[in-house]
Each structure stands twice: as C-alpha cells, then as structure tokens.
Amino acid sequence: MLFSNFLGVSALAATTLASAIRREEVVQRDDTAALEARASTAICPAYNGKTYTDSNNVAYTVSCPYSNNGNVIGSTTTATNLAQCMQACDAQSGCNAANFHTQVNICYFIGTVGSNVLNSTYNCAVKNSASSSTAGCTAATSVAVTFNELVTTNYGDSVNLTGSISQLGNWSPGLGLALSANQYTSSNPLWSGTVNLPPGTSVQYKYVQIVSGGTINWEADPNHSFVVPSGCATATTINDKWQQLSTSAGASSTSLSSVVKATVTATSTSSVAPTSTCTNGPSSRNCWSGGLDINTDFDNSWPTTGRTVSYDWTITNTTLAPDGYNRPVFAINGQYPGPRIEANWGDMISVTVTNNLADNGTSIHWHGVRQYHNNGQDGVPGVTECPLAPGQTKTYTFQATQYGSSWYHSHFSCQYGDGVLGPIVIHGPATANYDIELGPLPVTDWYYQTVNYHAAIAEHANALPPEADNGLINGTNKSPSGGSYYVTSLTAGKKHRVRLMNTAVDNHFVVSLDGHQMTVISSDFVPIVPMNVTTLFLGIGQRYDVIITADQSPGAYWFRADVQDKAGCGTNFGIIRSVFAYAGHETENPISTAQTYTQTCSDQTGLVPYWNSFVPQGQTGTFTELTTSQLQQTETDGSITVYWQINGSAMLNNWEQPTLEYVRSGNTSYPADLNLIQLPTEGRWTYWVIQEVAGNPYNVAVPHPIHLHGHDFYVLGTGTTTWTASAASSLNYANPTRRDVAMLPTNGWLALAFVTDNPGAWLMHCHIAWHADEGLAVQFLESASTIGTVAQIPSDFASQCSAWDSYYNGHPAYLQHDSGI
C-alpha cells in the first residue's frame, strides 16, 4: 500500500508516548523459590478427596485438580502452595474455601461455595465446618446426585453405575447403583439414577451394561471423574454418554494421525495415534490422545507429535473475479482465499513464502496463534521482522500449541485486504459432539478499486470511510457482474461443524442460517461451554466454531452475513450470502426467511470459557488507561493527514529497523512513535482500559475491534460511558470471556487483563485496516531481557533485513506512507 505521491507522516516523529502511557502497575507472580516451594508440597494429589487439617487445626476437604466456581471474595499471592492457601483462608473473614491456581501462584478466597469444576491448573479445599455462606443459606450435608447415561440397549438388558466409593459398590457392578429406564425411548435412550453423597466427595466411576443372561459389558476407558459440590446446593445432575473404543463406520472422524488431508506435505518422526481408551469421534469429541483431552488447558500442556506439516507458497500479482468483477489481487499460489493450513494439535507448521510481488514487500502473521516463546515468527514488519523483499524467500516455523480455527494474513500495511490471507484449521478436542467437519467459512468485504487505493485516499480525506462494493463468503458471491454463491452441503439428521471467521477490512457482520440454530463451541482459539444462538455477531478478526444440526425440512437455506451500517459497523453495497443445501437440493435457489435480530456492533455475550479461570482482583492499584481518538491534521501545503492515536500518538514503525533489532543490538533509545510500552517483568498480571475519547477537530466515534498478538486476554467488562476507577470493582473477574479480539464500544471503554508470560514484542491494534494504517496501535515489549534466550530471534533475521535494506534503498516504486502495519 505504497503511493509516493501522498504526503509522508514525518510529523509523527514530534509526537511522544513516553509521558502519556505509564508503565504497567502490576502484581508479582511466581519466582524460582516459590516454584520450588510449591513443588515440595504433597497435599495434591495425596489428599485428593480426603480431609486435610492445616497448621491452624482447621479441617478442609481437598480436591485435585479442581477449582470451585463459588463467589470469589479476595485473593493473595503470598501463598506458595495449597497448605499456605488454606492458612490464608483461615485468616480471611468470610472465607469458606481456598482455591489455589498452581500455574500463577495465586490463592483465591471463596465465600459462597459453589460446585467443583475439573481444571488441571487448580487445586481447591473446602472447609468441613462451612455451615453457611455469604448468601445466608445453610450448607448441604447431603447432595442428591442424579446420573443420566445415554446408551442404546436391548430389551431385558440393564445398566448399573459403579465406582470408587461404597455408595457405588467400590467397583463391584452388582453392588453399584441400578439405573432406571423409565424415561427410555428409541430417540432418547436415557438411563437414570439418583444417589445421596456427602459434599466434597471425589468420585471415579463407570457405567456397565448387564446383558440378559448375565454378561457384563463395561464402557471404555477413561474413568469418569466428579467431585460432589460443597455449599448450599442439595442436588446436582451429571449427563454422560456411553464411551466406546471406536467410531461407527462412515463417521467423519478418522484417526488423528490422518486428520490432515492431502492439502499438505507432512513428514514425521512419530504419529499422532489416538489412545485405545478415548478415541476422538462423533460421540466423543472431548477426547484426544496421549492423555490429553478437552480438559487440558493448552496454556500449560500440549502434545509434541514429532510431525511437521509443510507448505510452499508464492505470492504474485494477478487478476481475479471472485464475484464476477475482474480486479487486481495479490494472490497466494494464484488463489483467493489462500491455501488452507491444516494441522493437528501439537504439530509443527512450516510455511515457505516466496515474494514475487512487483513493488511490494510482504509478511505473514498467524492471527491468534500464541507463538509461545517464538516471537520472531509473528510476522509483523517493523516489529518482529523487516518486510520480505520482492524476489526473497523465507520460512516461518511454529508449533500448534492451541487448537481451533483462525486465519493468516499479511501485516504489511493493509495488503491482506487485496488478497494475502487464508484459513487455519488445527484439529483437537471439542466441547460438544458433531458428525461432519465442514471446515472454514471465511467472510469478508470486497473493494473493486482495491484496498490499497482506498486506504491511501482515506488517510488524506475529510470524508467517511469507503463503502465496500460487495462481500465474499469463502471467496465467492454474486454481483451484477456475475459470480456464484458458495454452496455448503448438509446431511439430514447430522451435526456439522463450521468454522466461521471474519477476514474483513472494515465490515463487521451478523451471521445466521435461515431456519437453523447454531451451537457455539469455540470463540477465537478458546473452547467454550456450548451455547445455542440463531444469530452471531462476528467482529473483524474474530472466529467462532459452531455446530449446525440438519434438522429442518430438506431444501436450500440462505446463510446471511449482514453488515450493521446503522450501528456503525461499516457499509457495504452488496448482499452477502451463501447457500446451505441438503443433499439433492444443491442447485435450488433458497426462498427461506431470515432470522430476526436487532442491529448491533457489540460483542456476543454469554461466552463462558470451558476452563474456569479467575483473574486476580483488586491487587493492581489502578488500571492503565489507553485513550484512542482521531486527529485530522492540516499540513503546510493545505492537505489533510488523518491519524488514529493512542494517548495522543499514532504508531509509525520503521520497516528497516524493527523493534527486535533494537533488542538484538541492545539499543534502548526507542522512538516515541513506536508506541512502545515496556513490560519488563515476567509473571505479572497486567490490567488495561481502552477508552474512546473525542478527536480533533471532530469527534469521530466508532467501534474498534481490538486484537492482541502473543496472548489471549480476559475481557473484564465494557461500557458506553467514560471509564472511572470505581468501575474496577464491578468487573467480572470470575471466569470472564477470554479471546484475542474484542470490540471497543462507540464512545466507550474496554477493560482487559493478561499475564506477561510470553517474552517478545507484541502488537495490540485495531483490526479495521484504515485505523491500523493510520496508527491505532501500541506494542508491548515484554520481558526484553530474555528475548534472544527464552524467545529466540530467528537465524535469518539479519539477512532478511539486509535484503530489504538493499531493495528499499534502491529507489523502489513506492515508499512507506502509513504506520507500516
């Protein structure tokens, strides 16, 4: 996006950020001594499900590894193990349970005791003497636990429940709980039974089928796990489904070692083989392999498969007509969207990129990929690398430590809007079952005069942003010039997984499928508790994995991606649709009716992360505030330059001297317009509020999709007024929404938290291309002292910069005129 006839932005050099953005006010986390102290304790797992009496002679029931989802009334970082956490709870008024987060060394105090939730990074202990809660209720002395099991049986068969405690027969099926088939139907083969258990009891259990004649069939491994809730609840229900060793014939799930299709070239030193006890399949999507499953928090554990999936890409100038209108495109291997990256959880991914563009550098950023201890592969010119010069080749290499859906794109100015992007699919466990994998369904806006053209004009015009000419779904749509709708096939009665992603420049969408519900199972790269919706807000950069059940009358149905122009979500001239068709109806033109909803440009609510996480509350003094606003500056020649600023400064990167070059050379004289915030200490929680304020000379108030590299963040809250420090106490610190893109409301604020656990230079920016171009970004320089050791700088860093310097100093056709990102 380089046009030499437009005014440069050297005026930005006079703007400073150093006085405007404070260093973070944070809370200390683990150090080496604390880790050693914590490792030396044997409370977990030795006391799992048992009573432990602490040094104050207070008795607790211990559960490992579990967290309690009761009301958090405080926390401390002085405890280095569960025993000390219990002692701290003894001294805290109203504390009835201790929740110890083993990964970040934080002890949470629980007032109103809830149920225990399986979580690999927590251990909890509930006071045996807790007889009341802060809500004034009486703690239950017995809990009626109802076990529901779905399993198809023959007439005369029966199902029993047996397990590790005497109430379930101590693993003797004949002495276990006999389940009832009173509610059993062919479509809902439900066996159910209720047993009274003491609060806090830790249970391992399995279901057994007793065939008429006496044969006993045990369900497959692994054992189910459960801790009876402690607190006021007197009843709870567990819903299970019979675990099998193998999937049914014709199922869409293959063995994990062959999930990746022929679109990649894979080499391996070992395979990703499913365990014999828990095979990922249509009825067991929670399973994976090697002892890992949906309960595994991939921040802390992931498989190392020994396999590498490899791609070879060439980026060129071409002309394409995805909706029937011919326009210039920057294409990867001649296609749009670019090739799909597909891998299994734990695979290494290797992508070799050759830049054959005329007069443009490039880079590839792997959107949402954490790049843990691998900052040099993040693909941001001016931050983690120099741009890749025309004629040059480089290879990006990183491990898929997360799973789910995302996309990659160029971070060289707004280049991705003209074609350099594609989907990412990383297979792993899921929070709900499905039969058929349908793959990615990216949605985007589309500009006939190219995004490069519009962005260069938008930077120097006192005008509204350009209107998109059309939108594309999976790279196609209809227009007055022709084109076609993308058709997705549905199989009647089956559950289909669809991976939605917004890869747009300026448009946010509300997506829906006429006549059908969607079950959301993942937001960005974060597994969530399944949630049913009929419409779904999809901000720029956001992704949702949804399950669509083909349970309507066979036919063809519209899938809609509506732009919320009245809500300030961008504008689009086109009608953006695709078709979902049942078998035999693929050529029909839908006549279906749209779902009803209210226009919005705010994030989807109700997204509950599957792993229960607590953010420390009240330990940081104040949130660090980042204000954003637009500046329209009149230059000496009378022209206008538009900037989007953070705390009064618009980012301006230097492609020839990335931030990692400053780190590599030990140069700490960072220019103010790098908008660089130093986070020097590892293992700290940091808290941020982004506030939209009035601009100069106009108050251009619009929503912004805020994206953070290198981390997920926790969305503690949003508001549509002016942030005040008093709002901090009313935020959600108990299992808040977690993702890597969140909407900053118009004229409002967005409160976020994340931990400094990934050394590197990490960008945080608005994902509206015009705004990023015009400077709406900061970069966090995190734990700089360990970059080069913990986070290696790539071996080709210097040679790539040398090649760029030679190209850029050799009179290129276009010079940098924007922020560079």
Side-chain angles (χ1 to χ4, degrees):
M1 178 205 158
L2 308 170
F3 293 82
S4 57
N5 59 321
F6 284 102
L7 185 67
V9 287
S10 59
L12 278 175
T15 331
T16 62
L17 193 69
S19 62
I21 297 183
R22 307 185 304 276
R23 288 194 177 190
E24 80 286 9
E25 298 180 27
V26 293
V27 57
Q28 183 66 45
R29 289 210 321 172
D30 285 338
D31 56 22
T32 302
L35 288 170
E36 291 174 352
R38 193 171 72 232
S40 68
T41 182
I43 292 178
C44 283
Y47 282 86
N48 184 34
K50 302 177 182 178
T51 296
Y52 175 86
T53 302
D54 68 15
S55 60
N56 296 324
N57 204 33
V58 178
Y60 287 81
T61 297
V62 176
S63 299
C64 320
Y66 286 88
S67 63
N68 191 283
N69 62 9
N71 179 47
V72 178
I73 61 173
S75 59
T76 180
T77 58
T78 60
T80 61
N81 54 51
L82 184 58
Q84 293 177 11
C85 187
M86 287 185 257
Q87 294 167 22
C89 178
D90 298 342
Q92 177 71 29
S93 176
C95 180
N96 288 309
N99 226 25
F100 186 67
H101 194 170
T102 60
Q103 296 295 329
V104 296
N105 207 39
I106 296 176
C107 172
Y108 296 95
F109 304 131
I110 305 296
T112 304
V113 179
S115 60
N116 289 337
V117 180
L118 184 65
N119 191 311
S120 62
T121 63
Y122 281 85
N123 296 314
C124 68
V126 178
K127 283 184 181 178
N128 290 356
S129 60
S131 59
S132 63
S133 71
T134 56
C137 66
T138 301
T141 58
S142 179
V143 179
V145 182
T146 298
F147 293 86
N148 290 328
E149 167 75 349
L150 290 176
V151 56
T152 302
T153 56
N154 295 319
Y155 182 79
D157 295 353
S158 60
V159 176
N160 282 10
L161 175 68
T162 187
S164 59
I165 58 177
S166 58
Q167 294 91 331
L168 297 182
N170 290 319
W171 294 114
S172 174
L175 299 177
L177 176 67
L179 303 186
S180 167
N182 288 342
Q183 304 174 66
Y184 186 104
T185 65
S186 58
S187 60
N188 186 45
L190 177 64
W191 290 83
S192 183
T194 302
V195 60
N196 292 317
L197 298 175
T201 304
S202 180
V203 183
Q204 299 278 316
Y205 66 95
K206 274 187 180 176
Y207 299 92
V208 294
Q209 177 188 16
I210 303 175
V211 182
S212 57
T215 302
I216 295 177
N217 295 328
W218 291 70
E219 69 170 344
D221 286 337
N223 297 336
H224 300 280
S225 298
F226 176 65
V227 175
V228 180
S230 298
C232 305
T234 59
T236 189
T237 299
I238 301 172
N239 295 306
D240 292 316
K241 197 170 184 178
W242 186 270
Q243 294 176 167
Q244 302 181 66
L245 285 176
S246 60
T247 62
S248 59
S252 62
S253 172
T254 61
S255 70
L256 304 185
S257 59
S258 61
V259 163
V260 178
K261 307 300 189 300
T263 54
V264 304
T265 301
T267 59
S268 66
T269 55
S270 66
S271 64
V272 189
T275 64
S276 60
T277 57
C278 190
T279 302
N280 184 275
S283 61
S284 56
R285 295 296 183 185
N286 61 308
C287 298
W288 198 239
S289 65
L292 305 180
D293 56 26
I294 192 61
N295 294 302
T296 305
D297 185 339
F298 53 42
D299 283 342
N300 308 299
S301 302
W302 54 83
T304 297
T305 66
R307 183 171 79 166
T308 298
V309 292
S310 301
Y311 296 85
D312 197 339
W313 296 347
T314 300
I315 307 175
T316 58
N317 302 75
T318 189
T319 300
L320 297 175
D323 65 349
Y325 185 92
N326 281 284
R327 57 147 288 186
V329 173
F330 299 142
I332 302 175
N333 291 357
Q335 68 184 74
Y336 179 83
R340 178 192 306 184
I341 287 180
E342 195 166 5
N344 291 334
W345 185 23
D347 284 349
M348 294 299 296
I349 297 172
S350 176
V351 184
T352 299
V353 179
T354 299
N355 179 11
N356 278 351
L357 293 171
D359 305 319
N360 267 275
T362 195
S363 74
I364 302 293
H365 167 62
W366 320 95
H367 183 101
V369 174
R370 189 182 181 199
Q371 298 292 1
Y372 185 63
H373 291 178
N374 199 29
N375 178 236
Q377 303 297 317
D378 198 43
V380 184
V383 178
T384 63
E385 64 180 72
C386 294
L388 185 64
Q392 298 296 306
T393 296
K394 76 164 297 175
T395 298
Y396 294 93
T397 303
F398 54 94
Q399 188 174 16
T401 63
Q402 305 145 286
Y403 53 81
S405 307
S406 196
W407 59 302
Y408 60 84
H409 60 85
S410 169
H411 231 301
F412 184 84
S413 296
C414 61
Q415 190 178 78
Y416 81 84
D418 286 326
V420 186
L421 62 82
I424 299 174
V425 173
I426 301 174
H427 297 281
T431 62
N433 292 327
Y434 57 92
D435 301 297
I436 298 171
E437 168 72 67
L438 292 180
L441 197 70
V443 184
T444 192
D445 46 17
W446 197 242
Y447 298 80
Y448 292 160
Q449 289 184 289
T450 78
V451 171
N452 277 287
Y453 170 85
H454 284 300
I457 291 177
E459 284 183 61
H460 301 281
N462 182 14
L464 294 173
E467 182 176 30
D469 296 287
N470 204 355
L472 308 176
I473 297 179
N474 211 12
T476 188
N477 194 13
K478 284 192 174 182
S479 77
S481 301
S484 61
Y485 296 120
Y486 183 79
V487 178
T488 300
S489 296
L490 295 176
T491 301
K494 296 296 185 180
K495 296 180 178 181
H496 307 75
R497 180 175 182 163
V498 181
R499 301 168 184 264
L500 303 171
M501 51 195 69
N502 184 343
T503 63
V505 167
D506 186 41
N507 285 183
H508 312 279
F509 304 102
V510 168
V511 298
S512 61
L513 177 60
D514 292 357
H516 293 74
Q517 271 194 341
M518 298 180 287
T519 301
V520 185
I521 60 171
S522 179
S523 60
D524 296 350
F525 267 134
V526 178
I528 68 167
V529 177
M531 178 182 72
N532 292 329
V533 298
T534 54
T535 63
L536 191 60
F537 176 82
L538 194 58
I540 298 173
Q542 292 182 338
R543 296 89 63 205
Y544 288 105
D545 285 24
V546 301
I547 296 172
I548 296 173
T549 302
D551 56 3
Q552 300 300 303
S553 298
Y557 294 84
W558 288 121
F559 179 85
R560 304 171 190 265
D562 298 336
V563 179
Q564 313 301 290
D565 55 338
K566 293 180 181 178
C569 277
T571 58
N572 198 301
F573 184 78
I575 299 174
I576 310 166
R577 294 183 182 178
S578 72
V579 176
F580 276 64
Y582 287 67
H585 299 268
E586 292 84 356
T587 60
E588 294 179 10
N589 198 38
I591 57 172
S592 55
T593 303
Q595 310 274 11
T596 59
Y597 64 93
T598 301
Q599 284 210 13
T600 182
C601 205
S602 56
D603 273 331
Q604 188 74 34
T605 59
L607 302 172
V608 179
Y610 186 78
W611 307 313
N612 201 333
S613 301
F614 296 101
V615 178
Q617 180 176 0
Q619 301 181 41
T620 61
T622 61
F623 279 61
T624 301
E625 188 170 345
L626 306 174
T627 62
T628 178
S629 61
Q630 190 192 77
L631 169 66
Q632 290 190 22
Q633 181 169 296
T634 302
E635 311 296 353
T636 56
D637 64 355
S639 65
I640 291 174
T641 303
V642 177
Y643 303 111
W644 274 97
Q645 301 179 311
I646 297 286
N647 287 16
S649 175
M651 176 178 279
L652 177 62
N653 279 347
N654 183 348
W655 283 339
E656 296 182 87
Q657 191 173 13
T659 302
L660 285 191
E661 174 58 27
Y662 283 88
V663 175
R664 194 172 76 102
S665 62
N667 181 0
T668 58
S669 299
Y670 306 110
D673 49 17
L674 291 184
N675 281 14
L676 187 144
I677 303 172
Q678 296 196 56
L679 306 178
T681 307
E682 288 191 69
R684 291 189 173 186
W685 279 94
T686 64
Y687 299 78
W688 310 88
V689 166
I690 307 170
Q691 170 80 61
E692 186 168 60
V693 298
N696 181 17
Y698 308 109
N699 182 21
V700 181
V702 293
H704 301 275
I706 302 300
H707 173 51
L708 176 63
H709 292 209
H711 301 268
D712 291 334
F713 49 59
Y714 294 90
V715 183
L716 305 182
T718 62
T720 55
T721 57
T722 300
W723 163 266
T724 60
S726 62
S729 62
S730 63
L731 298 175
N732 176 25
Y733 297 88
N735 204 23
T737 295
R738 168 184 167 176
R739 60 188 320 158
D740 56 65
V741 182
M743 297 298 296
L744 168 63
T746 301
N747 278 328
W749 53 266
L750 172 66
L752 308 172
F754 67 91
V755 183
T756 56
D757 58 0
N758 197 11
W762 303 110
L763 196 64
M764 184 169 74
H765 64 97
C766 174
H767 223 295
I768 295 173
W770 329 122
H771 298 176
D773 274 5
E774 293 157 7
L776 206 168
V778 297
Q779 53 180 312
F780 295 110
L781 184 57
E782 182 178 329
S783 307
S785 62
T786 64
I787 298 174
T789 54
V790 172
Q792 293 290 334
I793 295 176
S795 59
D796 62 354
F797 179 89
S799 60
Q800 184 174 333
C801 282
S802 178
W804 176 256
D805 292 347
S806 297
Y807 164 76
Y808 201 64
N809 294 318
H811 306 290
Y814 307 122
L815 297 175
Q816 180 181 351
H817 73 92
D818 61 5
S819 68
I821 62 163

